[in-house]
Amino acid sequence: QRRPGVTSHLDTFAGLGRREPILGILMTLFLLSLTGIPPLAGFFAKAYVILAAVQAGGTLTIVAVIAVIAAAAAAFYYLRVVVYMYMREPATEAEPPRHGSLVWAGLWAASALTIAIGLFPGPLLEAVNHAARALP
């Protein structure tokens, strides 16, 4: 079964920034976070994982280097979607689907957390460290 709006084709995102500006901005925020742009949550996620691998040393240093190269390559693909959203014309002029209040609530909550964790990673890191110390 095909669900409306669910696809893996890049052309689907063409013109999204003009068709649905708020949705385009939120998607751009998430893609920038996935790219690892500070001060978003994705930056700290990547930074801490890579730093942990470097601090562990040995062969994990090689893994850290590979992770940095992979992150740079992934940035090309994430930012390509942003280019499609704002710099390409939509394939069709179909009416955008209506999104329910739960979808919008989830998007706003995820956006707020993406920004909040990026700006204030300390409380989350303290919680993770506390949980790690509680393990046997």
Side-chain angles (χ1 to χ4, degrees):
Q1 285 182 352
R2 270 188 68 86
R3 294 184 304 170
V6 178
T7 182
S8 61
H9 298 287
L10 192 57
D11 288 334
T12 305
F13 300 108
L16 179 67
R18 286 187 299 280
R19 279 194 323 264
E20 295 190 67
I22 294 173
L23 200 57
I25 290 168
L26 294 178
M27 187 159 173
T28 301
L29 173 78
F30 297 137
L31 288 167
L32 290 175
S33 182
L34 285 170
T35 303
I37 304 294
L40 302 173
F43 168 75
F44 288 101
K46 286 183 181 192
Y48 283 115
V49 168
I50 291 169
L51 285 174
V54 169
Q55 289 174 351
T59 57
L60 285 179
T61 303
I62 297 169
V63 172
V65 170
I66 292 170
V68 169
I69 293 169
F76 167 78
Y77 292 100
Y78 296 139
L79 296 176
R80 188 170 175 218
V81 175
V82 175
V83 168
Y84 266 74
M85 289 188 331
Y86 292 102
M87 298 180 187
R88 297 279 174 107
E89 292 298 322
T92 64
E93 292 297 325
E95 186 71 24
R98 304 220 10 122
H99 307 293
S101 58
L102 284 177
V103 170
W104 285 111
L107 286 170
W108 286 115
S111 300
L113 285 171
T114 298
I115 294 168
I117 291 171
L119 291 174
F120 308 105
L124 180 63
L125 293 174
E126 288 176 25
V128 169
N129 285 332
H130 182 70
R133 285 191 302 269
L135 292 174

